[in-house]
Amino acid sequence: MPFRKEPPHTHGAVSRSAIVLVNLGTPDEPTRAKVRTYLKQFLSDPRVVEIPARIWWFILNLFILPFRSGQSAAKYRTIWTREGSPLKVFTAQQAVKLQAMLAERGHQDVQVAMAMRYGSPALPDVLDRLKEEGVDRIAILPAYPQYSGTTTASIWDAVFGHYKHVRNIPELRLVKHYHDHEAYIEALRANVQAHWDAHGRGQKLVMSFHGTPKRTLELGDPYFCECQKTGRLLAQALGLSPDDYLVTFQSRFGKAEWLQPYTAPTVQELARAGVERIDVICPGFTSDCLETLEEISMEVRHDFETAGGKEFHYIPCLNASPSWIVGMAEIAEQHLIGWPTILTPAQVEARRRDAEVGAANAARLGA
């Protein structure tokens, strides 16, 4: 089995630590061709679609991609910004601000990089770049608070698959989930409360999570239960009673039964029952994206209003809000324990001396 060429070894080089913040991904442009490329990579992942490969290849290439690529591209164009895809823009901001926050908390020796599971910057490319920069301790931080085999496990597949072809593998730490982490729940609470302070409070708070086929729950995927726990903890933090909020699931695809209750029919039922205002938040998404800005804030809003609802308030994702950057830093710190990310003056001096010795040895070997 061939291994990738290792970067040149530098005597006396200091090992470094990094956090890789990994999000799902996005097309590079809101065009039919770019969306097709993205969807093909995404929907070809056996973690995402658990259908026998030969059968799924025909369904994907003959039916889904030819029709859905254009439809999805049109939807992406409704949310695209001057800077690009909102998901990529917000994830990049999170990475920059997380590194700055960790530095403020004393972790000067930690680099934070952004990667995408599908699309660019591709996770394998980011891992290669970090190796070239001398990083040999990496913590993988998924942008998914709730674990699912369809999302988080797919990141692990990509990481392990990449390092199958690497001779000198860095030390790895994998953040599985943080659906019930106090810092994450507090960031959500602060986000909802800030919206209520500015716009008032609705009669119901709908917490809409991305759906998965019901079959995944029956086969042992913990995602449904972790979403329910996030919803319960957020409701408690906001002082809500069970009648004040609902946990629902969106983005159903295909004819199979998915996790329920479904978001769109639920908000329609609320409107028909006389609920005039609802607030909707998507706790499972840490960055706004197509599923929140178009599906929820546009499509589900339309469903609620056409069913008789009066006010639909979409509460944006955590994005790069100060409370979430603090929350990410607290989550990251727990997974950096034991790594030399905080340098004392003595360690800084020791590193300087090591570098000098390494340079001298390299010069002597080259003589």
Side-chain angles (χ1 to χ4, degrees):
M1 179 174 60
F3 294 98
R4 290 181 176 85
K5 183 179 180 180
E6 292 289 328
H9 177 70
T10 302
H11 293 276
V14 177
S15 60
R16 303 173 61 196
S17 303
I19 294 171
V20 180
L21 176 62
V22 187
N23 214 327
L24 183 77
T26 178
D28 291 330
E29 298 174 7
T31 63
R32 183 187 185 96
K34 295 296 185 181
V35 170
R36 182 187 178 105
T37 299
Y38 166 73
L39 287 178
K40 186 171 185 178
Q41 183 187 12
F42 172 45
L43 295 176
S44 296
D45 187 341
R47 289 281 189 180
V48 175
V49 181
E50 295 186 53
I51 294 177
R54 291 185 179 181
I55 297 174
W56 180 241
W57 187 94
F58 284 101
I59 296 174
L60 177 63
N61 289 278
L62 299 183
F63 298 99
I64 294 178
L65 292 179
F67 299 101
R68 189 166 182 178
S69 298
Q71 296 172 353
S72 294
K75 292 182 178 182
Y76 272 107
R77 285 193 289 271
T78 66
I79 67 164
W80 214 258
T81 71
R82 183 177 301 176
E83 294 79 17
S85 166
L87 180 142
K88 183 177 288 188
V89 170
F90 286 125
T91 307
Q93 291 176 359
Q94 290 171 348
V96 171
K97 293 186 177 183
L98 175 58
Q99 181 166 333
M101 175 60 68
L102 289 171
E104 288 181 15
R105 296 164 80 106
H107 302 276
Q108 305 94 340
D109 202 35
V110 176
Q111 179 180 348
V112 180
M114 172 190 75
M116 297 294 167
R117 176 60 184 91
Y118 316 103
S120 62
L123 179 55
D125 293 342
V126 173
L127 296 177
D128 275 341
R129 175 173 60 79
L130 291 175
K131 171 175 275 291
E132 291 174 357
E133 295 174 359
V135 172
D136 68 353
R137 291 181 295 270
I138 297 177
I140 305 293
L141 175 60
Y144 320 127
Q146 296 77 26
Y147 174 91
S148 172
T150 62
T151 53
T152 313
S154 179
I155 292 177
W156 300 164
D157 288 345
V159 171
F160 300 146
H162 172 75
Y163 284 122
K164 282 177 63 176
H165 303 283
V166 173
R167 188 179 304 278
N168 186 12
I169 298 176
E171 181 177 353
L172 293 171
R173 292 182 180 177
L174 312 175
V175 181
K176 181 177 181 180
H177 50 191
Y178 43 91
H179 64 288
D180 57 356
H181 196 286
E182 291 181 1
Y184 163 64
I185 299 299
E186 171 54 25
L188 289 174
R189 184 208 64 78
N191 196 34
V192 174
Q193 192 61 58
H195 184 88
W196 284 350
D197 291 344
H199 305 285
R201 175 177 157 180
Q203 295 163 267
K204 293 280 188 179
L205 176 63
V206 178
M207 305 178 192
S208 180
F209 293 83
H210 198 288
T212 63
K214 183 181 178 181
R215 181 172 176 271
T216 62
L217 170 63
E218 296 169 345
L219 292 175
D221 195 297
Y223 177 73
F224 177 82
C225 299
E226 294 191 1
C227 291
Q228 296 292 337
K229 187 171 185 180
T230 295
R232 175 173 57 81
L233 292 176
L234 176 56
Q236 290 177 354
L238 291 166
L240 302 181
S241 71
D243 293 333
D244 293 330
Y245 75 99
L246 293 165
V247 171
T248 64
F249 297 89
Q250 64 183 85
S251 307
R252 181 186 176 191
F253 176 71
K255 296 182 179 180
E257 182 179 358
W258 281 40
L259 299 178
Q260 295 193 42
Y262 302 137
T263 299
T266 297
V267 303
Q268 291 174 320
E269 292 174 8
L270 290 174
R272 296 187 186 110
V275 176
E276 296 187 347
R277 170 178 166 170
I278 61 172
D279 301 323
V280 182
I281 187 172
C282 300
F285 299 89
T286 52
S287 295
D288 272 310
C289 55
L290 185 71
E291 287 78 7
T292 64
L293 298 174
E294 195 279 334
E295 182 181 355
I296 295 298
S297 190
M298 295 182 190
E299 292 184 11
V300 174
R301 178 191 300 274
H302 177 76
D303 293 335
F304 178 70
E305 292 175 347
T306 55
K310 300 290 192 263
E311 288 188 61
F312 181 100
H313 287 246
Y314 169 64
I315 301 175
C317 291
L318 295 172
N319 296 323
S321 61
S323 60
W324 179 226
I325 301 305
V326 170
M328 293 178 72
E330 293 187 10
I331 293 168
E333 282 182 320
Q334 293 182 357
H335 294 271
L336 295 174
I337 293 175
W339 285 358
T341 60
I342 299 178
L343 304 181
T344 65
Q347 289 173 321
V348 172
E349 176 60 21
R351 286 195 170 192
R352 186 190 65 78
R353 291 196 304 268
D354 288 344
E356 290 180 351
V357 172
N361 288 338
R364 186 166 55 254
L365 289 173

